[in-house]
Amino acid sequence: MDTMPRYSVIEGKNPREICLLRGRGCQWRRCAFCDYHLDFSLDQEANDQLNQQVLAQVDGHLGRLEVINSGSFCDLSTKTHQEIRRICQERKIGQLHFECHWMHRHEIEAIRHFYGDRGIEVTIKMGVETFDYAYREQILRKGIDTASPAEIACYADEVCLLFGLQGQTVESMERDIQTALAYFRRVCVNIMVENSTPIKPDPTVIRGFVEQLYPKYRDEQRVDILLNNTDFGVGA
Ligand code: SF4
């Protein structure tokens, strides 16, 4: 039985309901720091059932919904997308946020149309983790084959950054935040937490972030900061 918290309401900045749905799984699955792609099932009928139960909790009171699924929006079935669209229409949700890996960037236009035809605006959030190309691709194995933030911004509206890793500094993290704010509407900073991968959080880097950058950016309306990866109230 699935006992993971999958529905929550994010108060404060950019208030929205949030659902953690389940799909066929991330198609990239190579990021060195990630083990949450393990939340998947190839049984899309079972996923649809679970997703329907989660979506039933959405009441639309904020007019915005974020759907995450430990992968990309295209890992969710057509049936689940139809249900999301139905719920958004019925509950007057005009803004919908999805995640997307760079490898699916050419599928974004179609999903914007699928929802846009019914007056629902889709916002795409992409995990970039850092704009340091060599670090991102050689160490984190993120799979984004461009060093240009402008090119990423042709597809993504918002980005996620990952801080608290060995080799990062206060200066490099601040540069990443500044680049994100220059090219994207919003940025979500995630602090690395211990998981089952060999990439470990670096306490010195985290302390540098918490002491020097957190106070500076915590009230910035376009920056979300997750000191713990369950701070949005979903996941485990
Ligand atoms: S794209 Fe996302 S879900 Fe897939 S491996 Fe990377 S971080 Fe994990």
Side-chain angles (χ1 to χ4, degrees), residues 26-31 33-37 70-71 101 129 142:
C26 170
Q27 302 299 294
W28 176 250
R29 229 173 292 170
R30 271 173 260 172
C31 299
F33 56 87
C34 169
D35 65 3
Y36 45 82
H37 56 70
S70 313
H101 185 272
E129 322 310 350
K142 192 66 213 182

Side-chain angles (χ1 to χ4, degrees), residues 207-221:
R207 199 174 321 116
F209 175 82
V210 169
E211 288 176 3
Q212 296 183 57
L213 298 178
Y214 184 64
K216 201 164 162 183
Y217 291 101
R218 106 185 114 194
D219 297 324
E220 161 65 63
Q221 284 305 310

Side-chain angles (χ1 to χ4, degrees), residues 165-226:
L165 303 169
Q166 197 180 20
Q168 291 180 320
T169 63
V170 169
E171 291 70 31
S172 77
M173 292 186 281
E174 178 143 45
R175 217 166 30 241
D176 276 335
I177 294 178
Q178 288 296 330
T179 304
L181 288 173
Y183 286 91
F184 301 90
R185 279 189 229 161
R186 300 188 60 80
V187 51
C188 180
V189 173
N190 296 287
I191 302 300
M192 183 71 195
V193 292
E194 182 94 24
N195 63 19
S196 61
T197 71
I199 302 266
K200 299 296 167 211
D202 184 320
T204 310
V205 177
I206 294 177
R207 199 174 321 116
F209 175 82
V210 169
E211 288 176 3
Q212 296 183 57
L213 298 178
Y214 184 64
K216 201 164 162 183
Y217 291 101
R218 106 185 114 194
D219 297 324
E220 161 65 63
Q221 284 305 310
R222 293 198 293 136
V223 180
D224 287 317
I225 300 173
L226 274 70

Side-chain angles (χ1 to χ4, degrees), residues 7 12 32 125 140-141 161 165 213 221:
Y7 169 81
K125 189 192 260 187
L140 302 181
R141 299 202 305 268
L161 298 174
L165 303 169
L213 298 178
Q221 284 305 310

Side-chain angles (χ1 to χ4, degrees), residues 103-207:
M103 73 187 291
H104 298 297
R105 64 196 179 282
H106 300 304
E107 294 165 62
I108 292 172
E109 205 179 320
I111 205 73
R112 289 196 201 277
H113 282 301
F114 178 81
Y115 287 94
D117 285 351
R118 306 288 169 90
I120 305 157
E121 188 196 345
V122 165
T123 298
I124 296 293
K125 189 192 260 187
M126 198 171 276
V128 170
E129 322 310 350
T130 173
F131 292 99
D132 178 334
Y133 181 72
Y135 189 93
R136 186 179 74 219
E137 298 310 320
Q138 286 164 23
I139 297 181
L140 302 181
R141 299 202 305 268
K142 192 66 213 182
I144 301 179
D145 60 0
T146 175
S148 159
E151 195 179 344
I152 299 171
C154 293
Y155 303 95
D157 306 297
E158 306 176 347
V159 284
C160 295
L161 298 174
L162 183 63
F163 291 166
L165 303 169
Q166 197 180 20
Q168 291 180 320
T169 63
V170 169
E171 291 70 31
S172 77
M173 292 186 281
E174 178 143 45
R175 217 166 30 241
D176 276 335
I177 294 178
Q178 288 296 330
T179 304
L181 288 173
Y183 286 91
F184 301 90
R185 279 189 229 161
R186 300 188 60 80
V187 51
C188 180
V189 173
N190 296 287
I191 302 300
M192 183 71 195
V193 292
E194 182 94 24
N195 63 19
S196 61
T197 71
I199 302 266
K200 299 296 167 211
D202 184 320
T204 310
V205 177
I206 294 177
R207 199 174 321 116

